[in-house]
Amino acid sequence: MRLVVVGNGMAGSRLVSEVRARDPRIDVTVLGAETCPPYNRVLLSNVLAGNTRPEQVRLLDPSWYGTHRVRAVFGSPVELIDRDTRTVLTADGRREPYDVLVLATGSEAVVPPIPGVERAIPFRTLGDCRRILAAAERSRRAVVIGGGLLGVEAARGLAGRGLPVTLLHLAGHLMERQLDVEAGEVLGETLAGLGVETRTGVAAEAVLEEGVRLAGGELVEGDLVVLACGVRPVTGLAADAGLEVRRGVVVDDELRTDDPAIFAIGECAEHDGTVYGLVAPAWEQAAVAAAVITGGKLLYRGSRLVTRLKATSVELAAMGETQLTEEHAEVVRFSHRARGTYRKLVIRDGRLVGAILLGESDAVGTLTQLFDRGGPVPGDRAGLLFPGLSAAPVADSPTLMPDAAKVCQCNNVTKGEIRACWEAGARDVPGIAAGTRATTGCGSCRDAVAGLVGWLCEQEGVPA
């Protein structure tokens, strides 16, 4: 079988590694538009903030491809899919025949059609990140356009480098897809204490040399302008090939398009009416597609989304249906704005269907497990929001966590898998990461994994 993968980002590189782990015989070629090896896009905000070096976000070392007999071509975007001859054509004239084709083309930054926008730098790729860092060295003030997840992370990262930052957002509050109004306001107040001025309900009209002009004529000064206006799936290749495309490339439960020889995964794929923009669904889809391609039986039934903000000194997790009100669900909330704390539970039919946790909280692990597994919510609602006040031990204690409890959301790694890896000889977090991939996504589970390793070592009297 000749497998060709178009796209070597987080979804494409994961699919290639999953296929090779299942079947060493398949002929695999991966074609990437970017000139560098695949990297963890989730951690680019850490690079921007200076907490992580660019080389530390690499997903696969270039030597991996030769060792695993995978042909990898970097800087070779695909321009055409010829479904009649089952061949793809690249911009540099390469023709690659396929028996199975996987589209992992990802998404691209939305660039608003306003005058002077070419002066701004999108925040999407590693190349963009390097351009922003170079510009920041010679800038006095920064403006970030877009107050979604990436915009907040970019603004916090630049502020952490000592630049005064103004964050502009069209909607009435920050991260409106994940947060309700009050949570968005509390987040804005938290950012203000970290050097980020937030302006919501404003529209950028033009990018000038001296900053951004708003609708109405006001000038927001800044010699560095960063765009974080959202992303859109890259679907042109699929559409030109005659595949069904709505918002994304339409796929079924096996991640096949309407051409059974072509699959689509990650941010370019639309499953059951949903396009997922987070890493965990992309990696879940890669595992399903790899299983199907190598002759296995596995179906994708959708993903339960947990969003984690990766910004220094800002703790935020949001999951599920956070916008529901008391008319449609039981809502339990606590707000202490002076301390930047906001916690909200959304419960329907005795199940947790949504939650927001802003500010430092030891409830994240328990609530994530409840949400992910769809289990019944305990009667002590206050104990869920404030585990330390409850007389009962918390569910995410290593002693009480069931082996099926998911510790790493990005890679779908359970406590049982971490225990098994530890029993096989891994005695630290890097060892667990190498054996299970836990902590290699957004990295927010690192403390939990370290805690489990420490607990296992303590239980067995083994030096950590």
Side-chain angles (χ1 to χ4, degrees):
M1 180 193 298
R2 294 169 299 183
L3 169 65
V4 173
V5 181
V6 179
N8 198 23
M10 296 190 73
S13 60
R14 174 57 64 94
L15 176 102
V16 168
S17 61
E18 292 273 1
V19 166
R20 185 50 84 225
R22 288 171 167 81
D23 192 329
R25 299 164 299 172
I26 293 178
D27 184 282
V28 181
T29 299
V30 56
L31 304 169
E34 293 187 72
T35 57
C36 58
Y39 55 88
N40 189 335
R41 200 183 305 275
V42 175
L43 299 180
L44 288 184
S45 57
N46 292 352
V47 175
L48 199 63
N51 300 326
T52 303
R53 298 188 305 276
E55 61 270 20
Q56 291 178 305
V57 302
R58 183 178 292 167
L59 287 171
L60 292 176
D61 190 271
S63 64
W64 182 92
Y65 296 96
T67 302
H68 293 84
R69 294 183 300 106
V70 173
R71 285 189 300 278
V73 184
F74 305 127
S76 185
V78 173
E79 288 193 333
L80 177 71
I81 301 171
D82 186 336
R83 292 168 58 191
D84 293 331
T85 63
R86 291 194 174 182
T87 304
V88 298
L89 178 66
T90 67
D92 54 5
R94 179 185 298 268
R95 299 184 69 88
E96 287 289 345
Y98 67 84
D99 298 304
V100 174
L101 178 66
V102 177
L103 301 179
T105 49
S107 57
E108 61 187 357
V110 172
V111 178
I114 58 176
V117 74
E118 68 278 359
R119 295 188 178 97
I121 306 174
F123 179 42
R124 177 63 185 160
T125 68
L126 184 57
D128 295 336
C129 195
R130 287 183 166 129
R131 289 174 61 203
I132 293 170
L133 290 175
E137 292 291 329
R138 56 180 185 272
S139 299
R140 298 184 309 275
R141 293 189 61 89
V143 179
V144 177
I145 303 177
L149 181 68
L150 282 180
V152 171
E153 291 182 349
R156 174 62 186 107
L158 290 170
R161 288 180 171 271
L163 276 179
V165 180
T166 303
L167 177 59
L168 306 177
H169 193 44
L170 183 61
H173 66 276
L174 297 176
M175 292 182 62
E176 75 280 0
R177 291 187 178 181
Q178 295 89 10
L179 305 181
D180 61 16
V181 173
E182 186 172 4
E185 292 174 349
V186 175
L187 176 59
E189 293 162 4
T190 299
L191 291 173
L194 297 170
V196 178
E197 178 192 2
T198 298
R199 300 282 303 277
T200 57
V202 297
E205 189 176 73
V207 179
L208 311 175
E209 288 188 7
E210 61 269 29
V212 177
R213 187 177 70 231
L214 303 180
E218 180 186 353
L219 175 67
V220 179
E221 293 185 359
D223 42 2
L224 167 60
V225 179
V226 175
L227 297 178
C229 303
V231 296
R232 65 168 64 92
V234 176
T235 59
L237 190 64
D240 291 344
L243 299 174
E244 184 182 1
V245 174
R246 296 175 193 158
R247 184 166 165 240
V249 184
V250 177
V251 295
D252 61 15
D253 289 351
E254 290 188 328
L255 286 313
R256 294 183 196 265
T257 67
D258 49 339
D259 181 332
I262 303 178
F263 294 70
I265 62 172
E267 293 182 337
C268 72
E270 178 178 332
H271 174 266
D272 197 22
T274 300
V275 176
Y276 296 96
L278 297 175
V279 62
W283 283 352
E284 290 173 17
Q285 292 173 3
V288 171
V292 174
I293 290 167
T294 55
K297 299 288 186 181
L298 197 59
L299 298 176
Y300 179 69
R301 299 299 194 188
S303 298
R304 298 173 70 82
L305 297 183
V306 179
T307 301
R308 298 293 295 264
L309 181 69
K310 293 163 295 303
T312 306
S313 303
V314 185
E315 297 289 334
L316 172 61
M319 58 199 84
E321 301 176 71
T322 59
Q323 311 285 357
L324 292 181
T325 65
E326 284 84 351
E327 296 179 13
H328 305 99
E330 176 190 350
V331 178
V332 183
R333 64 165 62 83
F334 170 84
S335 177
H336 189 177
R337 297 179 73 141
R339 297 194 60 178
T341 298
Y342 182 81
R343 302 180 187 181
K344 178 180 181 180
L345 307 180
V346 182
I347 301 165
R348 188 170 55 198
D349 299 326
R351 288 339 191 238
L352 184 69
V353 298
I356 299 171
L357 296 166
L358 175 56
E360 189 173 344
S361 173
D362 52 1
V364 175
T366 301
L367 293 177
T368 301
Q369 290 174 38
L370 274 175
F371 172 72
D372 185 64
R373 298 168 64 192
V377 175
D380 181 11
R381 309 302 202 229
L384 282 177
L385 285 181
F386 303 97
L389 299 180
S390 176
V394 295
D396 56 351
S397 162
T399 308
L400 298 180
M401 279 175 70
D403 276 355
K406 195 181 296 184
V407 177
C408 177
Q409 296 291 321
C410 295
N411 288 287
N412 200 29
V413 182
T414 65
K415 173 193 171 183
E417 290 169 315
I418 292 173
R419 181 200 291 272
C421 187
W422 184 89
E423 290 174 347
R427 292 293 184 265
D428 55 19
V429 173
I432 297 295
T436 67
R437 291 179 170 149
T439 76
T440 62
C442 71
S444 61
C445 65
R446 186 177 182 85
D447 288 346
V449 173
L452 275 171
V453 171
W455 173 73
L456 288 166
C457 291
E458 182 181 351
Q459 292 296 303
E460 300 297 327
V462 175

